[in-house]
Amino acid sequence: MTMLLIFCVTKNVRGEEKNGNPSAPGELIFLLDTSASMNAQDRDREAIDAIRQAAYSLPSDYRVGLVAYNTDIQTVIVPGTSAVQMEEMLAGITYTGYTNAGEGLAQAVGLFSGDSGASDRCIVMLTDGEIDMPDSGAREASRALYSEAALQAREQGVRMYIVAIGTELTDPRLHIFDGAEVTDGAIYWEGQSGSLSGVMRRILEERIGLPGAPLTADGAGDSLPEERAKSAFPEGGLSHARPEGGTVVLNANIPKGVSRVRLALTSEESISGVQAGQAQVITGQHFAVVEAVRPSAGTLSVSYQTPDPASVQAWMIPEYDAVPAISANYRIEELPRSEKEIKRNVPPAYEHYADLELRLLDVSGDASGGALGDASGYAGGGANIWEDERFEGMEVSFTVNGTPYTGIIQGGSISLTLRAEELKEVTAAVSMADEGAVYRIRGAEPVQIEKFPDPEFEPLPDYRPLIAILCALAAGLAGLFVFWMGRRTTVIYMAPSPLGDGTKTASKAGEYSGKLSMYVVRNADGKDIPPQTYRLFGRRARRLTLGQILTSCGIKFDKIGADDIILYPGPDHAVIVMDQSEGCTVMRGMEILKKGMGYPVYYNGKITVSFEDEETEMELHYRNLKPGEREEL
């Protein structure tokens, strides 16, 4: 029978930077008691199996070593030893001799590197008893060395986690447990704290802060702390029955752009028959680790057999090898100017910006290091890791030219705008505070900002000289106009003579002569108005209205058309009369004047005007002045 279990990463838990994106790989040294008493306490060599389980479950860049001790040091596996050589050395370990834990701890502390920036530095000690040597002197020397080495471990920031194997180490006050207390570590008892496989898994998850995320079906993750289990596992899960000799299939979702995936399976029961396609599989009595290098995004299927599928715990660690990629676009913005500044041709001020776009590129297949070529391309870089949907909306800490910022991933990138006046190049560093994966992020090459000059200022034309010239010209034209007005001639259309068509007669200024004798024949109120005389001689040659003449003589009529009867000076001492009224009737002698036509009236001529009210009528007699009248003027 085949059983299918579908597992998924349920949540990307964020934590401290040391867990999500360590500045340096962690270091873990196993300290294994291989004294003769272990033959009784660890008949099935499950302690060595638990060490293998932990070593293969850690991220690939973790520094792992081992010291196996009895009366003397039996085996030392220095960090960086190949997996094949480590397997051979573990297989060669035998349980014999006494328990010289002092020398063993001193050797273990000496295996740590001098890099104090390692994210975690731990010793996991597996032992079944107190320090025991052939004689009391050697025993006390080992105890003293053990205490001294524990103090050195504390000074180096190394914590000790002691796993008590078997049934003899039941008193927590034993001297062997001082190492955990001095280094602020912890003690686990086999059986009470779970099987050796379960204890090792708990140490990795609870104490070391194993990156990655649990994969769960029904019953998985029960040993996690309550608050972490709630965030890491969904409610419910898939229920399943106990298969009878069947195969369990686990399907794990692989993120986009991941360079390596480690999937660890642990169980209280045995795990066998593990298959995972082309991925590498490492198995033990109670564990299996599947490692896929540069897997395609999608599903990783793992099949295995176990007596109790519900006891299987699954943990997946995605690993990313990446480099930040930053592009920079230079931008200039003109600051607004006031109307006064614009009129004065004050040059505008500009602000300069660099619009940055930050991505994280996969370089796991790039031996050159994935250096950036320029701002417009990403030489050597692979896929943009942040395009995977799990990163959308994630907050990321990063630096630009050493200045820290935080940003939100949107559409596979983070945008940032900086003032660029003093900015010549930019370089970025990214810190992924994400417990759900391991990030090895390389340094990026600086990107030059391609700047261009500010727009050339083009001042508005200065029209002031032109305005001055135009003003002078206008003044000259105005003077000419005034002069012309004083010298102008008036063109009047004269009424046609009986011999031909109407002609145009020019009347020059200053040619008025004679006088008008005016008689009001009748008016609307019936009052008598005495005759009046209006001298034309000596007046400027300009247009006169009958209304103006009457007003100057003290004769006041209502608006009955007097202002629309016009007089002009004419040739040969004539005065030209023009009727422009709507309702008046003007007669020269017995001839009625046509509207808008000029009629010359000579000395002793008579003009009769019947006004628009049809009640007022007057006569105008045009006469020459007597010599005495001219002298009076």
Side-chain angles (χ1 to χ4, degrees), residues 554-574:
I555 301 174
K556 295 182 180 180
F557 293 148
D558 292 333
K559 293 183 178 181
I560 55 177
D563 291 332
D564 296 324
I565 298 173
I566 314 300
L567 280 72
Y568 295 96
D572 300 328
H573 306 291

Side-chain angles (χ1 to χ4, degrees), residues 193-208:
S193 302
S195 66
L196 287 180
S197 174
V199 167
M200 195 62 71
R201 179 177 56 80
R202 289 184 59 188
I203 291 174
L204 295 185
E205 295 176 4
E206 300 173 8
R207 302 297 180 177
I208 296 179

Side-chain angles (χ1 to χ4, degrees), residues 493 578-580 594-598:
Y493 284 94
M578 182 182 294
D579 180 12
Q580 294 183 343
K594 294 181 179 180
K595 304 292 185 183
M597 301 296 292

